[in-house]
């Protein structure tokens, strides 16, 4: 097993985080996760699917409370492992690293509780608009009603998790998604939820290109 490639990538990643103000505690926690990830990635081809499989394998054994910080680390570390200089430069330029401790978390709950609450929850205009837009684009693509209903239900779960977020931005959306993912116990259900998280985000933010971006998927 040759870990030199991974060690180089981890070193570069942690050095950049440190230059952005990451505390020693943040660096230590991320280095522990990356040590595990590096062992799995060693000698693997620089490939997106290989990386995703490695991350999925590790996340299965990580406590739910640690999912957010570790998934975030995996996202940030990816361009370093792939040696994507442009992506690394963009992160550095735009301060794309989340080096601060989580200030907000959605309330602890269960998937059953969230699903049951959908029967009586009312969604306001700001919540209904992205739901309606997301639904319309799926129907435009020719999706059947069960396909649309399933994805809208998952999008509503995301909205419920975001309701008590003090600031609704990409960080709170990512935190809500990461801390909801462990509630899904079946692998295929997790994959579906992550797909909806990715698709719905652009509608939630009001991105005018959300429809075209979904149609390209």
């Amino acid at each position: 097993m040759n870990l030199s490639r991974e060690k180089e990538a981890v070193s570069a990643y942690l050095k950049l985080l440190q230059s952005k103000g990451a505390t020693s505690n943040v660096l230590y926690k991320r280095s522990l996760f990356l040590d595990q990830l590096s062992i799995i990635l060693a000698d693997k081809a620089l490939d997106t699917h290989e990386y995703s499989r490695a991350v999925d394998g590790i996340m299965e054994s990580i406590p739910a409370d640690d999912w957010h910080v570790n998934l975030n680390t995996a996202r940030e570390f990816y361009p370093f492992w792939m040696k994507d200089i442009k992506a690394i430069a963009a992160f550095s330029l735009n301060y794309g690293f989340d080096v601060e401790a989580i200030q907000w978390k959605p309330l602890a709950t269960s998937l059953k509780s969230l699903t049951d609450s959908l029967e009586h929850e009312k969604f306001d205009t700001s919540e209904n608009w992205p739901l309606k837009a997301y639904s319309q684009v799926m129907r435009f693509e020719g999706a059947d009603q069960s396909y649309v209903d399933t994805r809208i239900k998952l999008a509503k779960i995301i909205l419920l998790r975001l309701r008590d977020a003090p600031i609704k931005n990409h960080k709170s959306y990512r935190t809500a998604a990461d801390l909801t993912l462990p509630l899904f116990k079946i692998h295929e259900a997790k994959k579906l939820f992550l797909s909806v998280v990715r698709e719905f985000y652009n509608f939630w933010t009001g991105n005018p290109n959300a429809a075209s971006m979904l149609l390209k998927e």
Side-chain angles (χ1 to χ4, degrees), residues 126-169:
S126 66
E127 295 170 324
N128 275 319
W129 184 90
L131 289 170
K132 183 177 180 180
Y134 184 35
S135 176
Q136 286 178 337
V137 174
M138 287 189 285
R139 290 196 179 94
F140 179 79
E141 285 189 285
D144 61 38
Q145 193 59 46
S146 63
Y147 179 97
V148 175
D149 289 345
T150 298
R151 277 170 159 71
I152 290 298
K153 181 180 290 186
L154 292 172
K156 285 181 176 179
I157 286 175
I158 297 170
L159 292 175
L160 289 179
R161 299 287 272 164
L162 282 163
R163 276 191 171 170
D164 66 333
I167 300 175
K168 292 179 172 60
N169 57 17

Side-chain angles (χ1 to χ4, degrees), residues 60-81:
E60 294 294 335
S61 62
I62 287 178
D65 285 347
D66 295 331
W67 273 50
H68 173 68
V69 66
N70 288 324
L71 282 174
N72 196 49
T73 300
R75 292 188 191 101
E76 294 175 350
F77 179 64
Y78 175 70
F80 289 85
W81 184 69

Side-chain angles (χ1 to χ4, degrees), residues 46-64:
L46 293 177
D47 177 81
T48 300
H49 298 296
E50 291 283 7
Y51 192 83
S52 295
R53 279 194 289 269
V55 173
D56 287 345
I58 292 177
M59 297 309 296
E60 294 294 335
S61 62
I62 287 178

Side-chain angles (χ1 to χ4, degrees), residues 2-156:
N2 185 358
L3 286 169
S4 59
R5 178 186 64 186
E6 282 67 39
K7 286 181 178 178
E8 181 181 338
V10 170
S11 177
Y13 168 69
L14 295 178
K15 282 181 180 177
L16 187 50
L17 254 64
Q18 186 175 31
S19 74
K20 296 298 180 183
T23 65
S24 57
N25 186 49
V26 166
L27 295 173
Y28 176 69
K29 287 182 177 180
R30 297 195 181 201
S31 66
L32 290 179
F33 172 75
L34 292 174
D35 284 345
Q36 297 179 63
L37 183 60
S38 294
I39 292 172
I40 300 177
L41 290 173
D43 303 322
K44 295 286 194 303
L46 293 177
D47 177 81
T48 300
H49 298 296
E50 291 283 7
Y51 192 83
S52 295
R53 279 194 289 269
V55 173
D56 287 345
I58 292 177
M59 297 309 296
E60 294 294 335
S61 62
I62 287 178
D65 285 347
D66 295 331
W67 273 50
H68 173 68
V69 66
N70 288 324
L71 282 174
N72 196 49
T73 300
R75 292 188 191 101
E76 294 175 350
F77 179 64
Y78 175 70
F80 289 85
W81 184 69
M82 289 290 289
K83 299 181 180 180
D84 187 340
I85 304 302
K86 288 185 178 179
I88 294 170
F91 265 126
S92 180
L93 181 63
N94 297 309
Y95 302 96
F97 297 103
D98 184 9
V99 298
E100 297 178 359
I102 300 171
Q103 300 299 317
W104 167 83
K105 292 182 181 180
L107 299 174
T109 186
S110 67
L111 184 59
K112 184 180 186 304
S113 178
L114 287 169
T115 303
D116 290 347
S117 70
L118 294 178
E119 298 295 326
H120 57 78
E121 285 289 350
K122 301 296 182 183
F123 293 87
D124 63 26
T125 302
S126 66
E127 295 170 324
N128 275 319
W129 184 90
L131 289 170
K132 183 177 180 180
Y134 184 35
S135 176
Q136 286 178 337
V137 174
M138 287 189 285
R139 290 196 179 94
F140 179 79
E141 285 189 285
D144 61 38
Q145 193 59 46
S146 63
Y147 179 97
V148 175
D149 289 345
T150 298
R151 277 170 159 71
I152 290 298
K153 181 180 290 186
L154 292 172
K156 285 181 176 179

